[in-house]
Amino acid sequence: MCTGANFVDVNLVPVNLPPMLAAVNIKVMEVRVTATTNRPTYHHGDLRNALIAAGAKLAEHAGPQAVGVRPAARAVGVTPTAAYRHFANADELLEAVKECAFDALAEGMRA
């Protein structure tokens, strides 16, 4: 059984389940860790911006040619399929990274 700060109790009593399961409490993980990387997987609603931030880090470390949907998805901890729902290809992701960078530059100039 899983215990600790990363788990919450889920009481299934009010749910219509077969009688033998009705009184069972199940621990549900709030944070899941991938078996291959030991990194938390991504489970909140701002995936687009997380991918853009990952793309910016990829560009910062290895240049714009390193920006891709799959590497950004890997960095964020999601499947490429989830990332492709937001960006059809690397060019779209790179364009979003550039737009975000220009917005930050403009904001910095205004300050």
Side-chain angles (χ1 to χ4, degrees):
M1 180 183 292
C2 300
T3 60
N6 291 335
F7 299 93
V8 289
D9 287 324
V10 177
N11 187 353
L12 299 177
V13 173
V15 179
N16 286 331
L17 294 175
M20 65 183 228
L21 296 176
V24 173
N25 286 327
I26 297 176
K27 301 279 188 175
V28 177
M29 290 181 62
E30 289 178 341
V31 177
R32 291 176 174 86
V33 176
T34 60
T36 57
T37 63
N38 278 344
R39 285 189 316 227
T41 57
Y42 188 83
H43 287 289
H44 82 63
D46 200 11
L47 179 56
R48 179 179 170 77
N49 286 328
L51 290 167
I52 292 171
K57 284 190 182 212
L58 289 167
E60 179 182 345
H61 293 291
Q65 69 279 1
V67 177
V69 178
R70 287 180 179 272
R74 195 174 315 115
V76 172
V78 297
T79 64
T81 304
Y84 279 113
R85 292 181 184 192
H86 296 279
F87 300 102
N89 54 41
D91 291 335
E92 281 188 15
L93 176 57
L94 184 58
E95 191 62 37
V97 168
K98 288 191 279 186
E99 184 179 312
C100 185
F102 281 123
D103 289 347
L105 175 65
E107 185 63 34
M109 294 174 72
R110 282 191 287 270

